[in-house]
Every structure is written in structure tokens, then in C-alpha cells.
Amino acid sequence: MTYEEFADSRLGALLRYAVMLTGDPHQAQDLVQDTMVRVQLNWRRVARTDSPERYVRRMLTNQYVDWRRGSWARRVLLRGEPDEGVPAPTDHAQSAVDRDQLWSWLSRLPRRQRATLVLRYYEDLPDAEIAEILGCAVGTVRSSISRALATLRAEYVEACS
């Protein structure tokens, strides 16, 4: 497989994954672009791996965790388009407020915890694959998810009271 074939077939999925990590479509595009430049420069090494997509996803995740661009991760933006197959809520204003609140809570999580949640619940990956992508132990993945969910639960309880 060539770099061009890989980029053509996987760019959309990588961009969707990056949007879930960053919470901002424009920052996601920047993140994917930076990562794909690195992928192209190292394509021979990437292509030799058992799973180039997994390798690139790991590069993207590491780039996200290490990215230092001020407070870009703290910006809260709403997703532009609703998910297909999900019935439209009756109260659109409340739906927007809820979505905004969720993005706010996610943006306050440490990057590694947010990455583990996205890999688990958006990419639907098992703990072992998440650990491989993040370069850590399976137990670290589980504790990171547990801490992130505990933080989100606490934020939710505080908001409801």
C-alpha cells in the first residue's frame, strides 16, 4: 500500500477520531495534517508495521497528548452536524446546552484521560489496543478510564445539584 492509498482510504476516519480528541474540527484538521506530514516522512517504517492504521492512530494520539498550543484544548465548540439515526430532540436549545456542557467537561480532563475515553467509547477499542496506542500498560488504561469517568460523574453531580 502506498502513502497516497493509505491517506485516501483512512483520512476521513482519522479526522473523525481527531475531532473527538480535540473537540474542535479546525484543531482536528491541524492535528491530522501535522500527523500525516510525519507519516509521509516516515512512510517506509509505517508501511512495514503489522497495522499501519494502528501505528498512525498511535502517532495521532501521541501528537495530541504532546501538543502545546496554548489553551486550544479548552475551547468549547459544538459539533456541526447531528448524528444520523439519532432522533432529533424535542428541545433543541437544551440539547445544545447539554452538548456544550459535555464538551466543557471533556476539555478539562487531562489529555491522556480524554484520549482513553475517546479510544474506548468512540473508537470502541479493547483495553489492550488502547494500551498499545498510548504506549502504556493495560492497568494504566483501566485506571485512566476509571479516573476520567469519576471526574465526569463528579462534574455531572455538581451540575445537577
Side-chain angles (χ1 to χ4, degrees):
M1 172 183 293
T2 67
Y3 170 78
E4 291 77 14
E5 291 169 338
F6 176 82
D8 285 343
S9 67
R10 300 310 307 151
L11 199 57
L14 292 170
L15 185 57
R16 287 189 300 274
Y17 172 59
V19 168
M20 293 305 296
L21 285 175
T22 64
D24 177 351
H26 303 289
Q27 292 296 332
Q29 289 172 351
D30 290 346
L31 178 62
V32 170
Q33 181 178 2
D34 290 351
T35 302
M36 292 306 285
V37 166
R38 291 177 49 222
V39 169
Q40 185 178 27
L41 293 173
N42 298 299
W43 180 246
R44 285 186 181 157
R45 182 175 7 151
V46 173
R48 283 193 305 258
T49 64
D50 292 335
S51 174
E53 181 180 358
R54 188 179 306 154
Y55 191 88
V56 171
R57 189 182 295 151
R58 181 174 182 173
M59 289 174 71
L60 183 74
T61 304
N62 289 340
Q63 184 82 359
Y64 165 73
V65 170
D66 294 338
W67 220 9
R68 302 287 186 232
R69 285 197 179 176
S71 63
W72 71 267
R74 301 220 184 269
R75 294 183 195 158
V76 177
L77 296 174
L78 301 178
R79 281 181 61 190
E81 299 177 23
D83 292 335
E84 289 186 27
V86 176
T90 55
D91 184 358
H92 297 288
Q94 185 59 47
S95 176
V97 168
D98 292 344
R99 189 172 43 238
D100 188 37
Q101 183 64 57
L102 182 58
W103 276 118
S104 175
W105 292 338
L106 285 171
S107 71
R108 290 192 294 249
L109 288 175
R111 290 175 182 229
R112 209 167 252 283
Q113 286 182 10
R114 185 171 178 175
T116 58
L117 287 180
V118 170
L119 289 167
R120 165 65 67 74
Y121 296 107
Y122 183 73
E123 293 289 321
D124 199 29
L125 296 179
D127 292 341
E129 260 188 80
I130 297 169
E132 183 180 327
I133 289 169
L134 295 175
C136 62
V138 172
T140 303
V141 168
R142 291 181 183 149
S143 67
S144 182
I145 289 171
S146 177
R147 286 186 190 117
L149 291 176
T151 300
L152 292 176
R153 267 188 228 105
E155 293 280 352
Y156 177 74
V157 167
E158 185 178 315
C160 289
S161 55

